[in-house]
Amino acid sequence: MTDGPGQSRSALAARLSAIDERIADAARRADRDPSEITRIVVTKFHPASLVRDLHALGVREVGENRQQELTSKVSEVDDLDVRWHFIGQAQTNKASAIRRSADAVHSLDRAKLADALHRVAEGDEPLDVLIQVNLTKDEGRGGIEPADASTLAEHILSLSSLRLRGVMAVAPLDEEPASAFSRLRLVADQVRLLEPSATWISAGMTGDFVEAIDAGATHLRIGSAITGPRPDRG
């Protein structure tokens, strides 16, 4: 027997509240102000109606991994004051679609993608972007090598339509999150030497956001712990 709409909204509110309490507790233990941490709710594979339910509960920061899904949801809920974060791997040929829909792109990991996002600006406000850093030894994973982040940062700073906000990473599966995020913090410090306003550190998901907060994360990307299990895509 499935929950009715009211019960679903109630369960959603309970999950959201529980995560927010955990974030606040982790922030206080790290001697940080919880208000300086942005919780992004990732709604991957869920319908746009969930974004409406989240908005009714006060959520204003929403993340998506896929350009097609981002574009579709933005068009369905364009009456809501939601800030959209694109957090998935981006193809250069999707740059225009991403730029039209996203308020922030967390996964900029190469100069070619920066150039593509810049070319399609069309007089838009500067697009907030973060450098995705690969914290693994797998070159096939998304993200730039930590040693190359400063070079990419310099390139981004030369493009007037992009606003460098900071760095993003996903913790490796074969390493303690605290160790990985401490390395990301070092990269973030290097980027801030080039652009002092690039203070964002997008790190931490359901299983490791406490360690991310300890390492200075400013933006957390939380999915199913708030939204519930992803729908069966058939």
Side-chain angles (χ1 to χ4, degrees), residues 64-80:
E64 284 297 335
N65 293 73
R66 300 166 66 248
Q67 174 269 313
Q68 295 92 332
E69 193 169 358
L70 171 70
T71 299
S72 175
K73 285 180 183 173
V74 169
S75 67
E76 289 185 63
V77 296
D78 62 354
D79 57 311
L80 302 182

Side-chain angles (χ1 to χ4, degrees), residues 174-203:
D174 58 352
E175 181 182 356
E176 287 296 323
S179 172
F181 291 145
S182 67
R183 291 189 287 115
L184 179 63
R185 180 61 182 266
L186 293 176
V187 178
D189 291 344
Q190 294 167 7
V191 169
R192 275 201 299 273
L193 290 176
L194 298 170
E195 177 49 72
S197 66
T199 58
W200 294 13
I201 300 178
S202 173

Side-chain angles (χ1 to χ4, degrees), residues 8-17 20 39 50-60 226:
S8 295
R9 284 193 293 271
S10 177
L12 179 65
R15 290 192 297 267
L16 181 65
S17 178
D20 283 348
R39 174 254 298 127
L50 179 66
V51 179
R52 291 195 178 277
D53 289 340
L54 288 164
H55 184 271
L57 294 171
V59 171
R60 297 295 181 268
I226 293 173

Side-chain angles (χ1 to χ4, degrees), residues 152-182:
L152 180 56
E154 289 176 342
H155 184 73
I156 293 169
L157 291 169
S158 74
L159 303 174
S160 60
S161 77
L162 303 182
R163 179 164 47 209
L164 181 59
R165 285 296 200 178
V167 299
M168 181 273 260
V170 177
L173 296 175
D174 58 352
E175 181 182 356
E176 287 296 323
S179 172
F181 291 145
S182 67

Side-chain angles (χ1 to χ4, degrees), residues 102-148:
D103 296 294
V105 174
H106 290 230
S107 48
L108 205 169
D109 61 358
R110 57 199 187 278
K112 186 176 180 181
L113 177 57
D115 291 339
L117 290 169
H118 176 65
R119 280 196 302 271
V120 297
E122 297 182 353
D124 299 339
E125 286 293 311
L127 175 67
D128 289 338
V129 298
L130 293 90
I131 295 173
Q132 182 175 358
V133 180
N134 184 356
L135 297 176
T136 77
K137 292 181 168 48
D138 181 0
E139 295 181 358
R141 292 284 296 271
I144 195 166
E145 289 293 315
D148 297 327

